[in-house]
Amino acid sequence: MPVPERIVLHRHRPPRRRRALNWQALIYHGLRTAGWAATNMLVVLGLFICFLALLGNLSFDGFFLQLNNLSARYLEAGARRQGSFQLLLVGLTAVLFLIVGVLRWHNLRQSGSSGGETT
């Protein structure tokens, strides 16, 4: 039986180089996403203000009267009703944030393809 010239038990692989993180791109996209989310939240808060302004017949005095009415009724309510109002407010905010986020999704996706350049 002939003896092979070379017996290979394992292949010697060069050590794999770790890919360095592109910190600039990571920070850019993180700030872009944070700005997108903050803008969406400001739009949602603006929608709440528009709703209270509409209840006050689009007048400055009516807006603050409605805000005073809401705060007075909130403070007079019991703990259970305050909790249910908070839950309703959080749910409404989340739904509005999702709607605004879907409508502004193109603005967030636009930055990923071009690396900060606008086409």
Side-chain angles (χ1 to χ4, degrees):
M1 195 166 162
V3 177
E5 292 180 15
R6 186 173 177 190
I7 299 175
V8 178
L9 296 176
H10 63 79
R11 291 185 179 200
H12 178 68
R13 294 182 186 163
R16 293 190 342 187
R17 290 175 48 194
R18 282 184 74 175
R19 293 184 66 185
L21 286 176
N22 187 354
W23 288 103
Q24 291 174 344
L26 189 65
I27 291 170
Y28 170 77
H29 289 293
L31 288 173
R32 178 87 180 191
T33 304
W36 177 81
T39 303
N40 288 348
M41 197 62 208
L42 286 173
V43 169
V44 169
L45 292 176
L47 289 173
F48 283 128
I49 289 173
C50 286
F51 176 72
L52 285 174
L54 285 174
L55 284 178
N57 292 328
L58 296 176
S59 69
F60 197 68
D61 293 334
F63 169 76
F64 282 107
L65 284 174
Q66 291 298 326
L67 196 60
N68 183 28
N69 183 25
L70 179 67
S71 62
R73 290 177 183 264
Y74 177 79
L75 292 175
E76 289 175 2
R80 281 184 52 202
R81 291 196 38 117
Q82 284 181 357
S84 69
F85 178 73
Q86 289 172 359
L87 187 63
L88 177 72
L89 194 61
V90 166
L92 183 61
T93 303
V95 167
L96 286 175
F97 185 84
L98 287 175
I99 291 170
V100 171
V102 166
L103 293 175
R104 294 194 68 241
W105 181 252
H106 70 280
N107 197 3
L108 184 64
R109 297 232 356 181
Q110 183 179 10
S111 68
S113 62
S114 60
E117 299 174 13
T118 56
T119 56

